[in-house]
Amino acid sequence: MDFALRFTVSLLPVVLFLLTLVSLDSYKLVPVRGLVVAIAVGAGIAVLCLSVNDVLIQALGIPRTQFSRYGAPPIEEVSRV
């Protein structure tokens, strides 16, 4: 229960910000469907990066903090291409 509550509270500002931007878009330049697709693709890529990072941490046997500093950023940048 604690994780679900923290997860919901952490996403609340982002969702409110996106809803505010959509409501302020008077010319409707970004369709809601396109926004939802972009968020879904971003979430999928984040899950993929998490999986790759976990596998590499296990395979290399280095501390998570060290991998977060040196290994994770290149993986995240490559995934944006």
Side-chain angles (χ1 to χ4, degrees), residues 36-46:
V36 171
V37 168
I39 291 171
V41 169
I45 290 173

Side-chain angles (χ1 to χ4, degrees), residues 47-71:
V47 170
L48 178 66
C49 286
L50 178 65
S51 301
V52 169
N53 288 340
D54 283 342
V55 168
L56 285 174
I57 287 171
Q58 294 297 324
L60 297 174
I62 60 176
R64 186 173 291 274
T65 56
Q66 188 177 4
F67 185 80
S68 297
R69 186 173 294 140
Y70 302 112

